Amino acid sequence: MSTGTRCGRVVIVGRPNVGKSTLLNRIVGIHLAATTSKPQTTRNRILGIYTEGNDQVLFYDTPGIHAETPRLLNQRLNKTAIASLAGADVVLLMVEAGQWRDEDARVLAYLQAVDVPVMLVVNKVDKIAHKEALLPYLAELGDKFEFAEIIPMSAFRPNDVERLLNVIKCYLPARPFDYDTEEVTDRSMRFIAAEMIREQLMKQLGQELPYSLAVDIEHFKETPGGADIAAVIFVEREGQKRIVIGTKGEMLKQVGTQARQRIATLLQQPVNLKLWVKVKPAWADHPGLLDQFNLDHE
Ligand SMILES: Nc1nc2c(ncn2[C@@H]2O[C@H](COP(=O)(O)OP(=O)(O)OP(=O)(O)O)[C@@H](O)[C@H]2O)c(=O)[nH]1
Ligand SMILES: [Mg+2]
């Protein structure tokens, strides 16, 4: 297998909400990472494995790097993203077309110390009505750093994703594959199930609540007839618990139905999903609970 093969680690970094997880999902062709319109969706480094012919690309999705707050959760998210840079063969810095915020500059500052090629991925070009407006913007970004490539694209367009993959392949080192060809991630279905539940909660709840939520899978069992999953949704206050449950339990029911469908698609079998809501004050500042909720240490 090693003859003529190329294999490399590509780390995707950027501020929150630019489309990193969307790109990862499009590349592996599976909804692996949670994606929402709200910032700070991703809380872990998530590997998506792309294998085609003699090429294997290990894509690492990371939490969006953002201005630090006193919350331990926020600090861990930034640390996870920054620590992911170590061992990269290529780094993708993702930005949103037409935008350059303080948080983008913050991410770029971390890349000054990186000694592998950094590609600038300018995502969401579909949102730009006048394409000529992009040219001065791209030139301005090109002056900020010695980027190996500058790639304007939309993660929604399969042709753009294909084009990006073709560029990345040219940068892969010649070496044997790290993973079997049929593998798509190193994350367990248990982990992905928790992500799918959190994704639905983030999508269906208001602006502030998502950052106070964590999902812990208490029971996960796959049988030939289907999967049995029980999960606890942790919030920080009683009032938040009422919101998550909703009037007559409607909100929780809706979240459960959507998450169950997503998980069933991934597992390719029926899923029985039970959800509970519990209050755990200030869990986002509690090191032990962050560990329990799978928030990495790095
Ligand atoms: N119009 C448009 N929207 C996009 C594109 N790519 C992603 N999005 C949307 O942007 C939002 C954020 O996408 P995510 O993939 O969750 O962003 P992220 O960078 O992973 O965010 P964090 O995990 O918070 O760091 C979602 O609503 C996506 O549907 C794109 O190419 N065009
Ligand atoms: Mg994400």
Side-chain angles (χ1 to χ4, degrees):
M1 189 192 267
S2 70
T3 37
T5 57
R6 296 184 291 189
C7 178
R9 284 178 289 266
V10 176
V11 178
I12 313 168
V13 291
R15 69 165 168 82
N17 212 38
V18 289
K20 300 178 294 297
S21 303
T22 304
L23 176 65
L24 183 89
N25 290 343
R26 297 293 171 128
I27 287 170
V28 294
I30 292 176
H31 196 88
L32 203 61
T35 61
T36 80
S37 58
K38 301 189 176 92
Q40 290 173 42
T41 298
T42 304
R43 290 181 177 169
N44 301 84
R45 189 182 78 163
I46 299 176
L47 168 64
I49 306 162
Y50 168 90
T51 309
E52 198 202 55
N54 282 332
D55 297 317
Q56 184 167 77
V57 195
L58 313 177
F59 284 96
Y60 291 93
D61 181 21
T62 62
I65 295 172
H66 55 283
E68 212 134 278
T69 73
R71 294 197 108 188
L72 190 56
L73 169 64
N74 292 92
Q75 292 161 19
R76 282 222 187 161
L77 297 184
N78 280 343
K79 275 191 187 156
T80 297
I82 295 152
S84 303
L85 291 166
D89 294 300
V90 175
V91 173
L92 303 188
L93 167 60
M94 186 180 274
V95 297
E96 178 168 338
Q99 300 199 7
W100 183 261
R101 302 187 190 170
D102 289 350
E103 284 181 329
D104 295 304
R106 189 186 176 94
V107 186
L108 185 62
Y110 287 110
L111 301 184
Q112 305 291 345
V114 163
D115 59 3
V116 296
V118 177
M119 296 181 193
L120 180 68
V121 175
V122 180
N123 193 31
K124 306 195 191 184
V125 291
D126 54 291
K127 286 174 82 175
I128 304 287
H130 302 288
K131 301 294 174 231
E132 16 359 300
L134 265 181
L135 293 174
Y137 168 79
L138 295 176
E140 194 188 318
L141 263 56
D143 286 341
K144 292 187 191 292
F145 189 83
E146 196 72 27
F147 293 110
E149 308 276 348
I150 297 183
I151 304 161
M153 66 171 292
S154 166
F156 289 165
R157 295 186 192 142
N159 286 348
D160 287 6
V161 175
E162 191 69 36
R163 190 164 46 88
L164 173 69
L165 281 167
N166 285 333
V167 174
I168 289 170
K169 282 175 189 172
C170 304
Y171 288 82
L172 297 178
R175 64 180 176 91
F177 290 174
D178 280 349
Y179 290 86
D180 287 344
T181 51
E182 70 279 3
E183 289 186 76
V184 287
T185 187
D186 62 347
R187 290 287 179 179
S188 63
M189 264 317 301
R190 194 185 172 102
F191 172 89
I192 297 166
E195 287 293 282
M196 294 303 97
I197 297 164
R198 206 168 51 80
E199 176 181 74
Q200 289 309 318
L201 287 162
M202 286 191 73
K203 279 190 168 157
Q204 299 190 31
L205 293 165
Q207 276 302 327
E208 286 310 312
L209 201 45
Y211 311 108
S212 300
L213 293 165
V215 175
D216 192 29
I217 304 284
E218 291 217 315
H219 173 83
F220 187 102
K221 194 170 164 67
E222 282 188 76
T223 65
D228 255 324
I229 305 171
V232 180
I233 298 162
F234 285 98
V235 291
E236 295 187 298
R237 291 192 296 276
E238 279 298 332
Q240 295 171 337
K241 179 175 170 176
R242 281 195 293 278
I243 297 170
V244 171
I245 293 171
T247 320
K248 293 186 183 152
E250 270 309 311
M251 175 61 85
L252 195 59
K253 197 172 151 199
Q254 211 173 305
V255 165
T257 306
Q258 299 288 329
R260 182 172 51 73
Q261 283 168 3
R262 283 250 193 242
I263 300 165
T265 306
L266 283 168
L267 290 176
Q268 295 182 308
Q269 62 172 344
V271 167
N272 176 24
L273 176 64
K274 288 202 186 72
L275 297 176
W276 281 272
V277 188
K278 284 188 190 166
V279 180
K280 198 70 109 175
W283 66 259
D285 281 310
H286 192 295
L289 289 173
L290 291 175
D291 291 346
Q292 185 186 333
F293 301 155
N294 272 315
L295 281 133
D296 310 324
H297 260 301
E298 292 100 329

